[in-house]
């Protein structure tokens, strides 16, 4: 099997039941998730030898997070045990005109306080074909940024393909802080994934004439910014998911990719949202899968978009769709009819 590695933070997610607001809730549903962990679960589900790298406490909550990954076939051998706490985030699912909301409680988590010396990156990236991380990990702490850079250097030295989902999080750092770190990391990246906000706030590239709150897209604006990003950083692929937010309940979902020769915009899906958390992560995992499978650029993007469209219908961070179910949607069957 092809070895894939992801690095990041897995957190305890406490969600209000149904569509309740935080102030209404008398209980919370407890699950685990987090950007790179979500990608790892999808990749393991698609049949790759997937390893998740992080640091978690030795206590029972840390073990529960490890168990959540193992349940779905993710190899946890490279998770370092230590530190005092697992990061937490609270999630409230929006509906119609009311947006979803996330509140973080992740300061001083085990991975945020981990050190580069905690990880044997030479061993971790031995025989690794693909390494994926995101802009969240360097945002959580100075240590997180140092670990991300060390991992990227080691992965590149081992001959792995590197992808990053820019994933700007305004509750973790400012655009100035993000750009001072993220631009330096781009020299190691082969596949850059991020929406228009990520590209602007993490790297300083802003598409002209876009209003993400209008519910409409000018796809042509992305072609220009993709070319600018590739020219400056030498990426092999620049990719963006494209969300048309009609409301918190209904979105248009598509994506675009540029490979240095051709700009391609995927099919668009109109999605009724059950849970949008992890949608971008399922997209990244789908793209990685398509490219590792040897699909064409267009085919890989269509697989990624279909995978993430389906993820929006699943509660929780993890995408539970099989390859066959994704390929069925790619093939045009979006009827939602009962499968007997």
């Amino acid at each position: 099997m092809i070895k894939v590695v992801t690095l990041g933070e897995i957190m305890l997610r406490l969600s209000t039941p149904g569509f309740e607001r935080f102030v209404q809730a008398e209980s919370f549903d407890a699950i685990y998730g987090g950007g790179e962990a979500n990608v790892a679960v999808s990749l393991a589900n698609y049949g790759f030898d997937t390893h998740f790298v992080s640091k978690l406490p030795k206590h029972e909550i840390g073990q529960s997070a490890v168990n959540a990954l193992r349940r779905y076939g993710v190899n946890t051998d490279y998770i370092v045990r230590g530190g005092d706490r697992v990061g937490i985030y609270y999630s409230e699912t929006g509906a119609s005109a009311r947006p979803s909301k996330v509140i973080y409680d992740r300061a001083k988590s085990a991975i945020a306080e981990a050190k580069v010396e905690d990880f044997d990156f030479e061993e971790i990236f031995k025989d690794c074909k693909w390494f994926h991380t995101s802009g969240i990990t360097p945002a959580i702490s100075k240590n997180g940024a140092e670990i991300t850079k060390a991992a990227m250097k080691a992965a590149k030295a081992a001959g792995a393909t590197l992808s990053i989902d820019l994933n700007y999080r305004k509750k973790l750092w400012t655009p100035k802080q993000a750009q001072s770190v993220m631009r330096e990391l781009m020299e190691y990246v082969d596949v850059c994934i991020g929406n228009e906000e990520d590209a602007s706030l993490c790297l300083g590239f802003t598409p002209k004439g876009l209003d993400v709150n209008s519910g409409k897209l000018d796809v042509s604006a992305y072609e220009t910014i993709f070319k600018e990003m590739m020219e400056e950083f030498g990426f092999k692929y620049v990719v963006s998911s494209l969300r048309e937010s009609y409301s918190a309940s209904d979105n248009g979902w598509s994506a675009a990719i540029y490979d240095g020769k051709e700009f391609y915009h995927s099919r668009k899906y109109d999605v009724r949202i059950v849970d949008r958390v992890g949608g971008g992560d399922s997209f990244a995992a789908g793209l990685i899968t398509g490219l590792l499978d040897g699909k064409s650029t267009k085919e890989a993007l269509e697989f990624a978009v279909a995978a993430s469209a389906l993820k929006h219908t699943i509660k929780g961070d993890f995408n539970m769709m099989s390859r066959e179910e994704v390929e069925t949607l790619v093939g045009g069957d979006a009827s939602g009819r009962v499968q007997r």
Side-chain angles (χ1 to χ4, degrees):
M1 287 194 295
I2 295 174
K3 180 179 178 180
V4 181
V5 174
T6 76
L7 178 148
E9 180 172 27
I10 183 169
M11 295 183 291
L12 171 63
R13 171 180 167 178
L14 299 177
S15 301
T16 57
F19 295 94
E20 289 185 4
R21 303 222 65 192
F22 290 132
V23 293
Q24 290 177 284
E26 296 181 353
S27 64
F28 289 89
D29 298 325
I31 56 174
Y32 292 88
E36 300 90 344
N38 300 341
V39 173
V41 169
S42 282
L43 291 172
N45 187 43
Y46 294 145
F48 296 103
D49 177 23
T50 308
H51 299 250
F52 180 64
V53 180
S54 192
K55 186 172 184 178
L56 285 166
K58 295 180 181 179
H59 57 51
E60 290 85 350
I61 304 302
Q63 187 61 45
S64 293
V66 171
N67 293 347
L69 293 165
R70 288 178 176 169
R71 176 183 180 185
Y72 297 109
V74 176
N75 187 305
T76 60
D77 290 350
Y78 299 142
I79 294 180
V80 175
R81 304 306 293 272
D84 296 324
R85 70 184 303 252
V86 176
I88 299 171
Y89 81 96
Y90 300 87
S91 175
E92 174 187 287
T93 302
S96 189
R98 176 173 60 85
S100 298
K101 178 175 283 189
V102 167
I103 297 174
Y104 290 125
D105 179 16
R106 65 198 303 178
K108 298 185 179 181
S109 64
I111 185 62
E113 297 198 330
K115 298 179 180 179
V116 173
E117 296 75 29
D118 289 335
F119 304 95
D120 184 353
F121 285 127
E122 183 176 353
E123 174 62 26
I124 288 170
F125 291 112
K126 183 178 180 181
D127 300 322
C128 175
K129 299 301 182 184
W130 197 292
F131 172 54
H132 177 80
T133 190
S134 83
I136 298 174
T137 306
I140 58 177
S141 67
K142 181 180 178 181
N143 287 12
E146 292 173 350
I147 290 167
T148 302
K149 184 175 182 179
M152 284 183 157
K153 291 177 69 174
K156 182 63 70 174
T161 298
L162 271 68
S163 60
I164 190 165
D165 191 335
L166 298 176
N167 267 341
Y168 179 79
R169 294 292 184 266
K170 65 181 179 181
K171 295 183 178 180
L172 296 180
W173 56 3
T174 66
K176 182 178 180 180
Q177 291 171 325
Q179 291 178 37
S180 69
V181 173
M182 296 295 288
R183 290 180 65 87
E184 185 178 331
L185 296 179
M186 293 303 106
E187 67 173 286
Y188 306 104
V189 174
D190 300 296
V191 182
C192 183
I193 305 168
N195 61 28
E196 64 291 323
E197 182 181 48
D198 297 329
S200 174
L201 299 177
C202 285
L203 300 180
F205 292 88
T206 303
K208 303 296 189 296
L210 284 180
D211 180 4
V212 298
N213 298 313
S214 68
K216 299 179 181 179
L217 283 177
D218 177 8
V219 176
S220 63
Y222 288 87
E223 183 172 3
T224 299
I225 194 174
F226 283 8
K227 289 179 178 179
E228 291 174 354
M229 291 168 65
M230 186 171 287
E231 183 177 348
E232 177 157 352
F233 296 114
F235 302 132
K236 293 180 181 177
Y237 299 93
V238 184
V239 196
S240 178
S241 56
L242 306 175
R243 185 184 298 277
E244 298 173 78
S245 187
Y246 314 133
S247 72
S249 302
D250 295 281
N251 285 184
W253 186 253
S254 62
I257 190 169
Y258 179 62
D259 62 4
K261 298 178 181 179
E262 183 178 5
F263 177 85
Y264 176 70
H265 180 218
S266 76
R267 170 185 176 183
K268 187 182 81 171
Y269 297 90
D270 287 322
V271 179
R272 173 60 57 87
I273 296 174
V274 173
D275 191 340
R276 64 171 283 179
V277 177
D281 305 322
S282 62
F283 173 78
L287 181 70
I288 294 167
T289 297
L291 293 175
L292 283 174
D293 284 351
K295 295 180 184 292
S296 70
T297 300
K298 295 179 181 179
E299 291 170 338
L301 189 70
E302 292 292 354
F303 185 90
V305 173
S308 54
L310 289 167
K311 163 61 193 76
H312 283 73
T313 70
I314 298 171
K315 190 72 175 175
D317 275 47
F318 299 157
N319 191 10
M320 300 289 98
M321 305 305 297
S322 68
R323 276 179 178 266
E324 292 74 20
E325 289 168 320
V326 176
E327 293 288 6
T328 295
L329 183 56
V330 172
D333 185 356
S335 66
R337 292 175 62 88
V338 175
Q339 302 297 307
R340 301 184 190 277

